[in-house]
Amino acid sequence: MEHGEGDSPPEAEKKGEVEEDDFGYRLFPDRNKKPQSFLVRSLFTFHNKCQVMLRMTLETNPYAQLLLEAMKQSGCTVFNDRHFSCENCDGCVSGGFDAATSQIVLCQNNIRQQSHMNRVVTHELIHAFDHCRAHVDWFKNVKHLACSEIRAANLSGDCTLMNEITRFKFGLKGHHQTCVRDRAIRSILAVRKVSKETAEKAVDEVFDACFNDLEPFGRIPHSKADARRAYRDFQNRDRYNANL
């Protein structure tokens, strides 16, 4: 599982301790349970609210709309019922991308606001886009995971000025890059049993290349207005290419 936006991840394993890596699945306990019937799930307010907010994001959020269009053009059309699942998760995460099933998990017990849903869906769709367009070795190559986490933090709106202010984090020069680096490291530590030093090394080694990989946005969308412009440019680029 690839970790979405959330609180501080669990501490990394101490050196010398041998424990099998579960790749973050411990954070998503509903992944291993038998699916509940629609009638049973419909009785739970969290599940209903999650589904409503998800539909709102997919229909109105320019970040998500651009990613959905880009994935469709890459041969990976996303279907709501197949590729999204609202589930209860560990308290420290808001979402994740399950590469084994190509499914995005949305933590219905932790996502309470539409703006939060927008960020989580966008973050996880970036992982899904990377999974679609490249041969990402999510489970064995920590550099691959680091690259996608850098891109997700950079392009999803996780590190906008307003979000950082709500976290009581302030900075001027280079603050966006610092936020992206820190959140990528935290995400790796949440889903992999590696040391902080290993996570930091992986992020630092691929940071420049992955931070500057702005596909499919073509820019860092610092706001919804930026995302709308990026979506418009993406659509126009496709029209131009179609006439070549």
Side-chain angles (χ1 to χ4, degrees):
M1 293 288 290
E2 313 326 318
H3 171 253
E5 182 178 292
D7 299 322
S8 298
E11 290 296 323
E13 298 297 315
K14 296 179 181 178
K15 288 186 178 180
E17 292 183 356
V18 178
E19 185 176 345
E20 186 177 353
D21 197 333
D22 68 356
F23 303 110
Y25 280 96
R26 68 191 179 282
L27 304 176
F28 305 89
D30 282 1
R31 293 273 84 191
N32 296 319
K33 292 181 181 179
K34 183 179 179 180
Q36 295 175 318
S37 69
F38 175 78
L39 179 61
V40 172
R41 286 186 286 115
S42 67
L43 296 176
F44 294 93
T45 303
F46 279 162
H47 189 81
N48 282 344
K49 185 176 181 180
C50 177
Q51 290 286 351
V52 170
M53 288 194 296
L54 170 61
R55 284 196 298 271
M56 180 68 71
T57 296
L58 298 181
E59 292 173 3
T60 66
N61 184 263
Y63 290 86
Q65 290 175 320
L66 192 159
L67 285 160
L68 292 172
E69 184 67 25
M71 289 190 67
K72 182 178 180 179
Q73 292 193 17
S74 297
C76 300
T77 300
V78 176
F79 297 99
N80 189 339
D81 293 340
R82 162 65 180 86
H83 293 107
F84 292 94
S85 180
C86 290
E87 302 176 8
N88 289 320
C89 309
D90 183 275
C92 74
V93 294
S94 300
F97 175 66
D98 188 347
T101 61
S102 297
Q103 193 169 50
I104 290 172
V105 181
L106 302 171
C107 299
Q108 60 193 21
N109 55 320
N110 295 331
I111 301 175
R112 307 294 175 83
Q113 297 178 329
Q114 187 65 50
S115 59
H116 190 187
M117 176 65 78
N118 292 344
R119 290 198 307 275
V120 175
V121 169
T122 301
H123 184 113
E124 303 309 334
L125 278 174
I126 291 170
H127 290 321
F129 176 75
D130 288 347
H131 185 69
C132 173
R133 69 170 181 155
H135 298 291
V136 182
D137 187 349
W138 298 103
F139 300 108
K140 294 182 180 179
N141 193 323
V142 69
K143 288 185 183 179
H144 286 192
L145 173 60
C147 187
S148 193
E149 292 295 356
I150 290 166
R151 281 176 32 77
N154 188 29
L155 301 173
S156 67
D158 286 351
C159 288
T160 61
L161 178 60
M162 288 307 300
N163 284 335
E164 282 293 88
I165 289 175
T166 62
R167 299 174 189 130
F168 301 103
K169 293 185 178 180
F170 305 90
L172 296 174
K173 185 177 180 180
H175 183 72
H176 180 76
Q177 288 89 332
T178 299
C179 171
V180 169
R181 179 181 181 275
D182 290 348
R183 294 188 72 77
I185 291 168
R186 291 172 62 246
S187 291
I188 293 171
L189 293 176
V191 297
R192 295 292 181 273
K193 287 184 168 62
V194 298
S195 66
K196 186 175 182 181
E197 291 75 15
T198 298
E200 290 175 340
K201 185 172 184 291
V203 168
D204 289 342
E205 286 182 352
V206 301
F207 189 86
D208 287 344
C210 299
F211 182 85
N212 290 305
D213 180 359
L214 305 179
E215 285 299 312
F217 290 90
R219 69 186 78 189
I220 298 175
H222 291 290
S223 65
K224 275 191 177 181
D226 281 346
R228 279 192 289 269
R229 284 191 288 269
Y231 185 30
R232 185 171 59 249
D233 290 346
F234 183 85
Q235 292 174 311
N236 290 336
R237 177 177 66 181
D238 296 335
R239 293 193 189 100
Y240 173 78
N241 291 338
N243 291 326
L244 291 179

